[in-house]
Amino acid sequence: MLEYLSQYFSITVFYYNPNISPRTEYEKRVQEIRRLICQMQFRHPVEFLEGEYRPEEFFQMAKGLEDVPEGGERCFRCYRMRMEEAARLASEGGYDYFTTTLSISPLKNAGKLNEIGEELSGIYKVAHLPSDFKKKNGYKRSIELSKEFGLYRQDYCGCVFSRREEKK
């Protein structure tokens, strides 16, 4: 997504992922995105901004949904929680748009992500950039870039619930 979007926009990558556990996994992913931003060449500037790591907020949001299968309501609420923080930041910071990188994954529901983004756009009065980054070989290109830059690629979304499902 960065390679593509930086052709048209200056970008601030806002990393807000209170869903990721354990903290060591969270920190590993932060370091990888920082490293990628430093090593890749972009047409327009790409900056990094880290949100607060507050896993207790994720667990509060997920309460009662612990056994919902991956890709269900718990995930939709997690999308919303994370995108809402991005929309709030975009609104307060005077950004032109906000979007999410989640749609690069073939396991994420791009339609639901865009639905949430449009709703938040109305609430926070900042434009949502609709996306399905996996299309037009986007996912394939992300794999190629991961290999090129030697990036760590996790095998689960990051939350304890998806990790538990992955181990089954």
Side-chain angles (χ1 to χ4, degrees):
M1 293 87 36
L2 293 178
E3 180 183 59
Y4 173 73
L5 290 176
S6 71
Q7 295 175 61
Y8 308 101
F9 304 102
S10 295
I11 299 170
T12 298
V13 172
F14 177 55
Y15 191 86
Y16 176 68
N17 290 287
N19 57 307
I20 298 176
S21 291
R23 186 176 192 97
T24 53
E25 177 72 14
Y26 172 86
E27 290 170 354
K28 186 178 212 176
R29 294 181 189 197
V30 167
Q31 289 310 310
E32 284 296 274
I33 190 63
R34 286 181 184 274
R35 183 171 68 83
L36 179 66
I37 290 169
C38 287
Q39 291 180 355
M40 271 186 87
Q41 298 294 312
F42 301 107
R43 182 171 181 192
H44 291 101
V46 175
E47 297 179 7
F48 180 82
L49 178 61
E50 185 177 357
E52 289 185 49
Y53 179 62
R54 300 181 301 246
E56 65 280 359
E57 290 182 10
F58 169 75
F59 287 111
Q60 182 62 38
M61 177 279 308
K63 194 167 186 75
L65 301 170
E66 295 89 347
D67 294 323
V68 171
E70 187 75 9
E73 184 62 28
R74 183 187 63 244
C75 294
F76 297 161
R77 289 185 187 184
C78 183
Y79 299 168
R80 182 185 174 86
M81 178 182 70
R82 294 156 60 196
M83 290 176 72
E84 186 158 13
E85 191 70 8
R88 183 191 60 74
L89 176 82
S91 178
E92 291 174 0
Y95 291 85
D96 295 324
Y97 298 94
F98 76 100
T99 193
T100 179
T101 61
L102 289 170
S103 74
I104 193 74
S105 171
L107 303 175
K108 301 295 186 250
N109 184 326
K112 189 66 173 178
L113 289 163
N114 288 320
E115 177 186 314
I116 293 166
E118 291 305 310
E119 179 187 345
L120 293 171
S121 175
I123 294 168
Y124 289 93
K125 308 299 184 224
V126 62
H128 170 251
L129 183 65
S131 62
D132 190 346
F133 290 117
K134 67 183 139 293
K135 290 191 170 183
K136 298 183 181 178
N137 291 318
Y139 179 71
K140 180 183 174 196
R141 181 64 180 146
S142 75
I143 299 294
E144 293 169 355
L145 287 169
S146 292
K147 287 179 184 173
E148 181 180 334
F149 287 94
L151 293 178
Y152 163 71
R153 289 187 66 90
Q154 64 279 1
D155 58 1
Y156 69 108
C157 89
C159 80
V160 295
F161 310 113
S162 70
R163 183 66 169 175
R164 181 180 66 205
E165 271 190 41
E166 185 66 31
K167 289 185 175 190
K168 284 184 180 178

